[in-house]
């Protein structure tokens, strides 16, 4: 009986595993190319100008916070500067803090209330449900027919409500989402890289999905909901770490449509340290996988167009790229050493195969991030210069994010860890380009 050639079997197995990982990464890379192409093709089509409300509806602004002492006063004051009739605007400060933030926020609320604003301070002695629980509890006493939500590190432009509310004259619209801008973009290489990541998410992904009629998600802040859309979808639930993504898909499954305004920029603070960034990424990645496990079977069974299902699949399963990247990085040296013999070593066919996998699995990310910067108006040098750092950060974060994926898959529960905030950076002055709905805002902000 012939002796098995274990060395050759190992080479074949290693090659099969490595090429399978490259194939998976290539499929998701091809989808990124698709999003870039879709955004380029559709973004220049103007959004229809909404029919304005004759009488403005009531709005509740919710400001969830937990131990946000460095930014609490800033967001409360920014909410009170929103240009909207004070008799139709309620502001809720939903504070679960266990430190000095509660005292700072309560004092600021009292000052704003004395200035004539309808503002309430709601302090919970527990964190049941975390952010989702705070929003759910606040909704019970909210007076508005529409609910705007801003995280504590955001500074909404004064015209935010006027730029969004009139889209709701369409009775099928359940959410209007604005884009994020970055207060501390240029503070460090880390914040610059984060800004590039987020710019592409908002300017490429959201724009492509919205303009193509696909589903996209609420980002937890800088958006305004129709209250009925929240309640008809089952309300806020805290069984995932991304309650915003969870509610978004449940609402769209219930038939609501979302509107995305890419030029309505809401400045916010990026995590200033690597530990804070890792905490944020772990929460986002794990929560997305949890939402996929919870809702993808329901989405795939739903009587909705196939394109909606495909796009939801790619969005909710996108964290699979992190373990793929990690394994590709770990296997690269062994693969090079064994020379990938089963795959036409040294031949033209093998070279073409490797180049195609590289272009789909790797270069797609570069195209995606460069496209996001170009849409934001940055030149080619500014768009290209951070690509090496982006690649290095992505590979480095793959360990942290792979752990998040695995924790979600095995059902390991973890609390909602807030993203640490640094010292309060200066506010940005909203530019005229922020007026996204085609309706002139009031010249006299409240």
């Amino acid at each position: 009986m012939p002796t098995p050639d274990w060395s050759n079997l190992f080479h074949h197995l290693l090659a099969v595993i490595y090429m399978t990982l490259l194939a998976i990464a290539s499929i998701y890379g091809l989808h990124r190319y698709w999003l870039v192409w879709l955004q380029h093709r559709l973004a220049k089509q103007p959004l229809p100008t909404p029919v304005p409300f004759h009488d403005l509806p009531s709005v509740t602004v919710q400001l969830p916070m937990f131990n946000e002492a460095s930014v609490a006063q800033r967001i409360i004051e920014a909410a009170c500067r929103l240009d909207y009739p004070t008799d139709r605007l309620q502001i809720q400060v939903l504070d679960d803090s266990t430190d000095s933030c509660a005292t700072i926020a309560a004092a600021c609320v009292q000052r704003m209330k004395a200035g004539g604003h309808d503002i309430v301070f709601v302090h919970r002695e527990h964190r049941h449900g975390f952010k989702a629980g705070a929003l759910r509890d606040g909704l019970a006493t909210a007076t508005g027919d529409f609910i705007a939500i801003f995280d504590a590190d955001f500074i909404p432009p004064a015209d935010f409500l006027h730029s969004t509310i009139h889209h709701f004259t369409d009775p099928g619209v359940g959410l209007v989402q604005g884009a994020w801008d970055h207060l501390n973009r240029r503070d460090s290489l880390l914040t610059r890289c984060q800004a590039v990541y987020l710019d592409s998410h908002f300017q490429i992904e959201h724009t492509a999905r919205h303009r193509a009629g696909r589903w996209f998600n609420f980002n937890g802040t800088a958006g305004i909901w129709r209250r009925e859309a929240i309640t008809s979808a089952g309300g806020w639930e805290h069984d995932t770490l991304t309650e915003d993504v969870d509610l978004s898909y449940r609402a769209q499954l219930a038939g609501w449509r979302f509107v995305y305004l890419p030029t309505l920029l809401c400045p916010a603070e990026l995590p200033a340290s690597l530990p804070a960034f890792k905490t944020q990424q772990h929460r986002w990645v794990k929560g997305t996988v949890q939402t996929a496990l919870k809702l993808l079977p329901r989405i795939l069974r739903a009587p909705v167009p196939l394109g909606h299902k495909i796009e939801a699949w790619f969005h909710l399963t996108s964290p699979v790229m992190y373990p793929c990247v990690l394994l590709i990085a770990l296997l690269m040296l062994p693969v090079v050493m064994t020379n990938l013999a089963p795959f036409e070593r040294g031949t033209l066919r093998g070279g073409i195969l490797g180049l195609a996998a590289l272009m789909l699995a790797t270069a797609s990310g570069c195209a995606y991030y460069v496209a996001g910067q170009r849409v934001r108006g940055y030149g080619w040098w500014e768009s290209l210069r951070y690509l090496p750092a982006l690649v290095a950060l992505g590979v480095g974060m793959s360990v942290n994010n792979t752990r998040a994926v695995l924790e979600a898959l095995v059902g390991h529960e973890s609390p909602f860890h807030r993203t640490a905030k640094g010292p309060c950076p200066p506010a940005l002055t909203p530019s005229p380009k922020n007026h996204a709905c085609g309706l002139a805002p009031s010249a006299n902000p409240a």
Side-chain angles (χ1 to χ4, degrees):
M1 183 174 180
T3 304
D5 187 351
W6 295 110
S7 176
N8 195 42
L9 286 175
F10 172 75
H11 291 170
H12 276 76
L13 179 61
L14 184 62
V16 168
I17 293 173
Y18 190 75
M19 293 307 295
T20 299
L21 293 170
L22 275 181
I24 294 171
S26 296
I27 292 170
Y28 283 87
L30 187 61
H31 177 252
R32 276 188 168 176
Y33 279 126
W34 164 256
L35 289 175
V36 171
W37 177 81
L38 204 60
Q39 189 277 338
H40 178 74
R41 185 170 68 89
L42 300 177
K44 294 183 180 179
Q45 298 178 3
L47 287 173
T49 301
V51 177
F53 279 105
H54 179 67
D55 292 314
L56 289 173
S58 58
V59 174
T60 293
V61 174
Q62 293 186 321
L63 308 177
M65 58 182 68
F66 174 71
N67 294 350
E68 313 277 6
S70 65
V71 293
Q73 179 174 319
R74 185 184 66 185
I75 179 56
I76 295 171
E77 292 175 348
C80 290
R81 288 194 298 269
L82 288 167
D83 177 20
Y84 208 74
T86 55
D87 62 334
R88 293 169 224 182
L89 178 63
Q90 178 199 35
I91 300 171
Q92 292 182 326
V93 178
L94 307 175
D95 182 64
D96 289 353
S97 297
T98 57
D99 65 1
S100 61
C101 177
T103 302
I104 294 170
C108 187
V109 166
Q110 288 301 316
R111 290 196 303 273
M112 297 300 107
K113 184 178 293 186
H117 297 279
D118 180 3
I119 183 169
V120 294
F121 177 74
V122 181
H123 185 257
R124 301 195 307 171
E125 297 296 334
H126 57 82
R127 291 196 74 201
H128 179 67
F130 305 106
K131 180 180 176 180
L135 293 171
R136 181 198 59 224
D137 291 353
L139 196 63
T141 57
T143 59
D145 294 323
F146 298 89
I147 310 295
I149 300 171
F150 300 100
D151 283 345
D153 54 325
F154 276 70
I155 307 176
D159 68 320
F160 183 90
L161 295 180
H162 277 288
S163 295
T164 55
I165 194 65
H166 299 285
H167 290 275
F168 291 105
T169 55
D170 180 341
V173 171
L175 167 80
V176 179
Q177 173 71 55
W180 294 8
D181 205 355
H182 318 294
L183 289 166
N184 56 338
R185 180 189 190 101
R186 300 186 181 278
D187 280 8
S188 67
L189 183 60
L190 175 63
T191 57
R192 287 174 186 266
C193 288
Q194 292 177 67
V196 173
Y197 286 142
L198 289 170
D199 286 347
S200 293
H201 171 70
F202 282 97
Q203 302 303 329
I204 303 299
E205 285 189 51
H206 270 9
T207 299
R209 288 172 178 148
H210 175 224
R211 297 300 179 91
R214 304 294 194 263
W215 291 349
F216 67 94
N217 63 290
F218 171 53
N219 294 100
T221 179
I224 178 169
W225 283 87
R226 188 188 298 271
R227 182 173 185 156
E228 184 186 354
I230 298 176
T231 57
S232 67
W236 294 103
E237 297 178 357
H238 60 269
D239 52 351
T240 75
L241 292 177
T242 48
E243 71 295 322
D244 44 7
V245 179
D246 173 32
L247 179 59
S248 297
Y249 277 97
R250 286 189 283 115
Q252 289 169 115
L253 279 167
W256 295 100
R257 289 182 286 105
F258 291 2
V259 173
Y260 172 59
L261 304 178
T263 59
L264 179 58
L265 301 178
C266 294
E269 179 185 347
L270 295 163
S273 68
L274 189 58
F277 179 55
K278 289 174 64 178
T279 297
Q280 183 191 70
Q281 288 294 301
H282 183 275
R283 187 177 73 244
W284 287 357
V285 170
K286 183 174 181 177
T288 299
V289 177
Q290 290 173 327
T291 304
L293 295 172
K294 174 181 178 179
L295 294 181
L296 260 185
R298 180 175 163 189
I299 292 170
L300 296 176
R301 292 193 304 266
V304 298
L306 179 61
H308 290 55
K309 298 179 181 182
I310 293 174
E311 196 58 46
W313 173 274
F314 273 107
H315 176 211
L316 294 177
T317 64
S318 59
V320 74
M321 282 294 292
Y322 294 112
C324 279
V325 167
L326 178 60
L327 289 173
I328 288 171
L330 292 175
L331 292 176
M332 186 175 297
L333 181 59
V335 165
V336 170
M337 292 177 64
T338 58
N339 237 359
L340 275 181
F343 291 91
E344 306 294 337
R345 177 177 57 198
T347 67
L348 178 61
R349 193 170 11 162
I352 293 174
L353 177 65
L355 181 61
L358 174 67
M359 293 300 292
L360 287 176
T362 306
S364 64
C366 298
Y368 171 77
Y369 293 124
V370 169
Q373 294 306 282
R374 296 292 291 158
V375 172
R376 282 297 308 268
Y378 293 100
W380 282 106
W381 168 243
E382 186 73 12
S383 302
L384 291 167
R385 63 188 295 198
Y386 297 111
L387 284 181
L390 288 169
V391 173
L393 182 60
V395 173
M397 288 296 295
S398 63
V399 177
N400 177 78
N401 292 348
T402 295
R403 181 169 63 87
V405 171
L406 295 177
E407 286 183 6
L409 290 176
V410 302
H412 174 73
E413 294 187 5
S414 56
F416 185 105
H417 292 292
R418 64 177 284 274
T419 305
K421 309 299 189 300
C424 182
L428 292 182
T429 302
S431 73
K433 292 189 297 184
N434 286 354
H435 307 326
C437 71
L439 299 168
S442 168
N444 186 24

